[in-house]
Amino acid sequence: MKTYHIVKCGLILIFILILSTGTASAFNIYDEEIYKGDGYQINNYFIEVFNIISHEDSRLLTINMYQLKSDGTYEELDVKRETNVNNKLTKHKYQSDIVEIIVMEKNCTSTYATVDITTSGIKVVYNQPVKGGLSSAKFIGEPSLLLTKEVDKTNVEIGDTIRVTIKAKNVGSGPAKGITIDHGITPGFTFKSAIYTTYPEELAAGNPDYTQMYIYEMEAAQSGTVTLTPAIATYYCSTYDSEYSSNSNSPVVTVAQEAVETSVLELTVTPHKTELQRGNKVTFTVSLRNIKDIPATTVRLDMIYPYNLTYESGCEDIKIIDNKPVIQKSIYEARYEDEYDYTFLANEVGIYNITAKVSYNDGANNIINETTSDMIYVTEGKYDFLKEYPLYVYIIPIIIIAAIAGWIFWRRNQFKM
Amino acid sequence: MLNILIIGAGQCGNRILDSINNKAFGGGRFSKYYSKQKFPSRVETIAVNTAINDLKEMQYTKAKDRLHIPHLHGVGANRIIGKQCFIDNKDLIMRTIKERGDFDVAFVITSSSGGTGSSFSPPLIEELKNTYDFPVYGVVILPFREEGTIYLQNTAFCLKEMHNSGVDGIILGDNQFLKYAGTDIQSAYDGINSMVAERILFLLEALDSEMMMVTDLGDFKTVMSGGAGIATIGFAKGDGTNSIKSIIQQSLSPNGLLFSSNIYEEGSRAMIILRGDRKYLNIDDISSQIDKLSSHIGHVFKGVIIRNGEIPKILSVVTLETTVELDNLYTLAVEAIQMEKEKHDRMALEKETGAAFSKIDGLEPQY
């Protein structure tokens, strides 16, 4: 029975201690020197040494107390004054239902007073001597955190990692204390790791910059367009003995289905020479490379070339279909690469290029890929000047020469024995 | 229009014939390819030879006009073999001539000294005279005197046989006399051939042209029938500055003749043909020269061919009564014949005595 009472008393004591730390408790300031006209601010209570009246050897200290308002006004509190007849020291006391402030004069000169200040019923979050009296006092208000949530990318595929950064800024008028961050994990994402967690427990008001609070990484596990769950910051302000919370914004992230691995055929076309004369031949080498681990199927390689170039010859794989050189392969193995030569005859003077066009099935879709060669410059051939004249210019002399040759041959035979 | 047959027999005859054909084409090296022969008459040419290489060398005579008489490669300057060869192939030759049609006159050109030409020409002329009634004239080229005894004796017999063949006249050309025509033997031969060809063509033109003063085949026959039946041809041409008088004199001078002769002393009849622009042909000069010649030799036929813008050319045909040069030639020929005969006799004697071979008679080789 005795043990029961000891435990019971202990629990009561612990409860009282918790209560005294978690709520308002006594606050004492001793031997504070406050000059005439100056004051001391405890939370939004302002204690002002209003006047010191000297009379012979005695001094009469007058202290006023004020309640500061958020709108910049104040309310003068009702202060009771008691002067000890023995030592002539004055006690100033403000008493409300729960708050009690006592300013006890300990010494007083004509310019300043030394006082002890005791409070109860106040959770002191701000106490500071204030030069200049009431006009210099500053209202201590409520905190308000502005929270942001940022992602490093908004379009990802399943399995990709997103880095999320949470920042905060106190845009209120009072300090935010005991800050805790709930980063707000979003369904469809898996938390991977926290990168930065050492955020401050308190943020003072008035700082225009954001403070980095929390960084973590998560992995996209489900496709779709997802609005991330906002982060939540909770904090309190002892001035008002209240708890607050702020939500961040909610970024939108689009998560695509995980890509199906397909084949990709890369194509290049290289002319062996870029300058040639009309009537000469030029060879183009087409390099076709499957850069993926998946084979391509139903591959067809066509050459698109101007009518001024005539296909002449090429490698064994080339077949002529509809008078055009075509390479067809039912399968083009993964990581396979080959080169194909096409030789063309340049019929006309000009600047030309050719285009290689490959069509194939990459395992999921039918793909068409094209690439164009460098320009080739076809200049006039050695005997092109002959083309400037009509055919009869050549035919007639040839006929004449042939007739003369025939005549000479016939005549020579007449005289040959 | 006259129908004229020209036969070139043997190498010399072939080459002169080829030169005639070349000049008829215009004279250029390639003229046969672009030109037509410009004979004033219908002229048929036939080259006859036993040496096919000589025929092949001809360039301006058509192959169909070259008659090869197959007999090894020539008769080797042996007239006996040559004459037998002609007898063996007479029908072929005469048939070939007959195929060419009818003629008004024929010329047989040959060398007197060689094999085929000198041996074929006399019997050929005789056969022509026996077969046809048109006149046949021999154009005979005499050899260089230093060419040797065989050529000299061939010449002597050839000329004699031709004279006896019934020929209507022999026109002589003399290599010995004309050898100044070239600087070396080849160019000399070419020059002589060209010279003879040019004169024959001029003669053909004179026989068949519309002349201001007419000479014709009849006149030519009359001229050629004069004297000893031996004639020569003279030729000269002006340069535009010399007078027609001097040109006529030049054609009758030894330098203008094909055969060395003193026309004024040895001539019998003559025919002078003048050709050129009217402005060069002064009739007084011409008459004075004709008169001068006729006063020495008797009758002279003259013909004038007017060619506008052409410098004057003169052709003279002169028959000879006597000729010192021919006598000299026959003197040399007789010496040559005798020299050959002595050589023959000497060799025959050596054969009879056995000469060197008889020294080993009765001996046997010892091993």
Side-chain angles (χ1 to χ4, degrees), chain A residues 93-152:
Chain A
K93 181 181 178 184
Y94 165 71
Q95 178 75 57
S96 69
D97 292 342
I98 56 172
V99 175
E100 180 183 76
I101 302 171
I102 299 172
V103 179
M104 180 61 74
E105 178 184 358
K106 292 182 74 176
N107 186 26
C108 189
T109 69
S110 60
T111 56
Y112 67 87
T114 302
V115 296
D116 291 339
I117 302 171
T118 58
T119 66
S120 62
I122 302 172
K123 189 177 182 178
V124 176
V125 295
Y126 183 84
N127 62 296
Q128 200 74 28
V130 177
K131 290 283 185 187
L134 181 61
S135 60
S136 300
K138 187 171 119 183
F139 177 78
I140 303 300
E142 293 177 296
S144 176
L145 290 187
L146 187 60
L147 205 61
T148 63
K149 191 174 199 177
E150 298 170 357
V151 291
D152 61 345

Side-chain angles (χ1 to χ4, degrees), chain A residues 63-234:
Chain A
I63 287 178
N64 291 336
M65 294 188 193
Y66 303 95
Q67 172 80 57
L68 300 177
K69 303 286 188 182
S70 60
D71 59 0
T73 59
Y74 54 86
E75 176 188 349
E76 186 172 358
L77 301 176
D78 183 19
V79 177
K80 291 181 178 176
R81 299 174 180 86
E82 294 176 15
T83 304
N84 190 318
V85 292
N86 293 324
N87 55 14
K88 304 294 184 189
L89 297 175
T90 305
K91 176 185 177 186
H92 296 75
K93 181 181 178 184
Y94 165 71
Q95 178 75 57
S96 69
D97 292 342
I98 56 172
V99 175
E100 180 183 76
I101 302 171
I102 299 172
V103 179
M104 180 61 74
E105 178 184 358
K106 292 182 74 176
N107 186 26
C108 189
T109 69
S110 60
T111 56
Y112 67 87
T114 302
V115 296
D116 291 339
I117 302 171
T118 58
T119 66
S120 62
I122 302 172
K123 189 177 182 178
V124 176
V125 295
Y126 183 84
N127 62 296
Q128 200 74 28
V130 177
K131 290 283 185 187
L134 181 61
S135 60
S136 300
K138 187 171 119 183
F139 177 78
I140 303 300
E142 293 177 296
S144 176
L145 290 187
L146 187 60
L147 205 61
T148 63
K149 191 174 199 177
E150 298 170 357
V151 291
D152 61 345
K153 43 186 170 284
T154 56
N155 287 288
V156 294
E157 292 180 354
I158 292 174
D160 289 350
T161 298
I162 300 173
R163 176 170 288 197
V164 183
T165 301
I166 298 169
K167 295 177 182 175
K169 176 167 79 170
N170 186 351
V171 296
S173 54
K177 295 196 173 187
I179 299 170
T180 59
I181 299 290
D182 177 5
H183 52 69
I185 193 71
T186 305
F189 291 88
T190 305
F191 183 83
K192 284 189 75 177
S193 62
I195 306 299
Y196 178 82
T197 57
T198 55
Y199 56 86
E201 288 188 353
E202 181 175 331
L203 285 177
N207 187 350
D209 297 326
Y210 277 97
T211 301
Q212 188 167 273
M213 304 297 285
Y214 201 88
I215 299 175
Y216 66 97
E217 286 183 341
M218 60 184 185
E219 183 179 299
Q222 189 176 326
S223 64
T225 299
V226 182
T227 301
L228 299 187
T229 303
I232 300 171
T234 56

Side-chain angles (χ1 to χ4, degrees), chain B residues 2 40-41 199-211 213-217 219-220 271-275 303-305 307 315 317:
Chain B
L2 290 176
S41 311
R199 281 153 179 72
I200 290 174
L201 278 172
F202 199 157
L203 177 63
L204 298 185
E205 186 180 9
L207 297 180
D208 204 3
S209 290
E210 293 179 0
M211 290 186 275
M213 299 175 73
V214 177
T215 55
D216 56 18
L217 181 58
D219 298 333
F220 180 69
M271 185 167 78
I272 307 291
I273 302 118
L274 304 96
R275 192 178 76 188
V304 178
I305 304 171
R307 288 282 176 82
L315 182 79
V317 179

